Amino acid sequence: MELFLPIKPTILIVDDSPTNLMLLTSLMQKAYTVKAVSHGEQALQVVSDELPDLILLDITMPDMDGYEICHRLKANPLTNPVPIVFLTSRTDLESERRGMELGAVDYITRPITPSSLLSRVKAHVVEAANAKTMRVNNNYLEGEVEKRKKQMLALQDVALLALASLAETRDVETGNHLKRTQHYMRALGHRLQSHPRFSDFLTAGMVDILFKCAPLHDIGKVGIPDHILLKPGRYEPEEFEIMKMHPSLGHDALVNAQNAADDHSEFLEIAKQIVYSHHEKWDGTGYPQGLLRDAIPIPARLMALADVYDALISRRVYKAEMTHEQAVQVIVEGRGRHFDPDVVEAFLDLSSTFQSIAICFKDGH
């Protein structure tokens, strides 16, 4: 089935011989819109103004030969797709080889046979039209894929925040805790990107994942009974043991969702690490697994410090909030016991940043 072409595709003829230009124009003008020029610079200008569907190009010309014109057009991404057919009196194989290596689609020698020339030109115009249609379709599809990808990422972000907020709505004192810890995590991630212990892991993409996953850290709280979660005071030992189940509950929920959706993406893997291990301590006295030092996943180590700092500066029914300076002192005292020492160092470098984040997302604002 022959491709339907627009009425009169445009052919650009480049030849310094007035006789050749007249003969080729006469031959081509019935089927094509013909533009004819006799100099290389003219040819480049015509192509820059409007891309033709094909170029018939002589080699021997005074100011700029056909090889140079072809080279310039093929070197420009905008003009590269235009098919170039050399039409010349040079019959040696070396001239043909050079022309084809420069990117021409055909090499036709004089004297020409009108029917043969028209047939070959038409074939190249049809092929170029097919290629153009394919490029347009591919660009459209790529644009649609990118648009859908952005929509899915936006939907993912909304779903994550909705899920995290569901857990937080059961704990009325947390306020803007989710937003603050998100920004603490991003600040720590960026600061540690150049640290030799963390640089391989904390890529720009990973820091973005940490920012998005941080609000999920306490989703397991939805499984804690109200009489414990909402208790207006400190927990009894047996109550605290139940409260300590929330990392495991959250982790199990993510595992079940992951298996049901058959989704083993890096995003969910990082979310599981944060949810399950953000209460682990550097010296191995944390929960639920009692992990020691580097056995604690990096995302959980960052989350541990971000979560504790925010808890310290926040008011609770069983305690007053600490000042920023007091919270910093507690974090420093936990270096090498509760927290990875290098994460504490990054926190100290970012002390004013943490304070600014806390003020920016202060509860009630």
Side-chain angles (χ1 to χ4, degrees):
M1 179 177 177
E2 184 175 84
L3 176 71
F4 173 76
L5 295 176
I7 297 175
K8 289 198 172 183
T10 299
I11 302 292
L12 171 62
I13 304 171
V14 187
D15 197 311
D16 66 328
S17 166
T19 300
N20 288 341
L21 287 180
M22 182 180 66
L23 290 174
L24 289 171
T25 299
S26 176
L27 179 63
M28 295 288 166
Q29 64 185 2
K30 183 177 180 179
Y32 303 101
T33 297
V34 177
K35 295 181 180 181
V37 297
S38 58
H39 298 283
E41 290 296 345
Q42 289 178 313
L44 295 176
Q45 184 59 52
V46 169
V47 175
S48 68
D49 291 340
E50 182 179 357
L51 293 181
D53 294 284
L54 182 137
I55 300 172
L56 285 176
L57 181 60
D58 188 20
I59 293 178
T60 306
M61 287 181 289
D63 63 333
M64 182 187 305
D65 67 18
Y67 293 138
E68 178 63 19
I69 297 171
C70 183
H71 170 72
R72 293 194 187 187
L73 293 174
K74 290 302 175 182
N76 185 339
L78 296 178
T79 58
N80 177 275
V82 179
I84 296 174
V85 175
F86 279 111
L87 182 58
T88 178
S89 297
R90 294 189 183 184
T91 59
D92 61 288
L93 294 177
E94 178 58 26
S95 294
E96 181 177 353
R97 181 196 63 77
R98 184 180 177 190
M100 299 304 289
E101 286 183 351
L102 285 171
V105 297
D106 206 347
Y107 189 94
I108 301 173
T109 59
R110 294 188 176 94
I112 63 170
T113 302
S115 59
S116 176
L117 177 62
L118 287 171
S119 177
R120 289 164 76 169
V121 165
K122 181 178 181 181
H124 292 306
V125 170
V126 168
E127 184 177 358
N130 278 329
K132 182 177 181 180
T133 299
M134 185 173 294
R135 288 195 302 272
V136 170
N137 288 341
N138 286 342
N139 289 338
Y140 173 77
L141 290 175
E142 288 174 4
E144 286 297 298
V145 168
E146 186 62 26
K147 183 167 70 175
R148 295 291 185 272
K149 181 180 177 181
K150 289 180 179 179
Q151 290 173 343
M152 289 301 296
L153 288 174
L155 181 61
Q156 180 187 68
D157 291 346
V158 170
L160 285 174
L161 287 175
L163 179 60
S165 297
L166 178 63
E168 296 299 330
T169 55
R170 301 192 58 228
D171 189 351
V172 295
E173 294 180 324
T174 55
N176 284 331
H177 174 66
L178 295 181
K179 292 180 181 178
R180 292 193 296 268
T181 52
Q182 265 192 311
H183 287 274
Y184 299 150
M185 285 282 278
R186 181 156 64 185
L188 285 172
H190 283 155
R191 183 66 184 181
L192 289 166
Q193 279 184 310
S194 59
H195 194 288
R197 288 183 59 218
F198 301 92
S199 58
D200 288 344
F201 180 78
L202 290 174
T203 62
M206 179 54 66
V207 173
D208 185 54
I209 291 175
L210 294 180
F211 181 81
K212 292 181 179 181
C213 286
L216 296 174
H217 66 278
D218 275 339
I219 61 168
K221 284 183 177 181
V222 295
I224 303 300
D226 284 350
H227 73 277
I228 294 176
L229 183 65
L230 304 180
K231 182 179 179 180
R234 293 190 175 276
Y235 297 126
E236 297 298 328
E238 61 276 11
E239 293 173 332
F240 186 54
E241 289 303 313
I242 295 175
M243 189 62 186
K244 285 164 62 176
M245 294 173 59
H246 79 269
S248 297
L249 293 172
H251 175 264
D252 291 348
L254 288 178
V255 169
N256 290 336
Q258 188 178 37
N259 291 336
D262 194 24
D263 182 350
H264 298 280
S265 63
E266 185 177 42
F267 182 90
L268 280 179
E269 291 300 323
I270 298 303
K272 287 193 302 182
Q273 291 176 11
I274 290 175
V275 169
Y276 199 29
S277 303
H278 70 282
H279 283 295
E280 300 289 353
K281 295 183 179 181
W282 188 246
D283 63 5
T285 62
Y287 64 88
Q289 294 178 287
L291 299 178
L292 179 66
R293 298 192 176 187
D294 286 330
I296 305 170
I298 291 174
R301 282 182 248 162
L302 272 58
M303 190 73 240
L305 190 147
D307 195 31
V308 169
Y309 171 80
D310 201 66
L312 293 172
I313 65 167
S314 301
R315 178 183 295 275
R316 296 289 184 265
V317 293
Y318 52 85
K319 77 169 188 71
E321 72 271 23
M322 288 186 179
T323 65
H324 169 72
E325 292 72 21
Q326 290 172 324
V328 169
Q329 185 58 38
V330 172
I331 298 294
V332 170
E333 291 172 358
R335 177 168 43 194
R337 295 189 296 109
H338 192 150
F339 309 111
D340 182 331
D342 288 329
V343 176
V344 174
E345 287 302 313
F347 164 74
L348 293 176
D349 292 338
L350 295 165
S351 175
S352 60
T353 300
F354 268 61
Q355 188 173 26
S356 296
I357 292 170
I359 293 171
C360 181
F361 298 104
K362 186 176 181 180
D363 288 343
H365 286 204

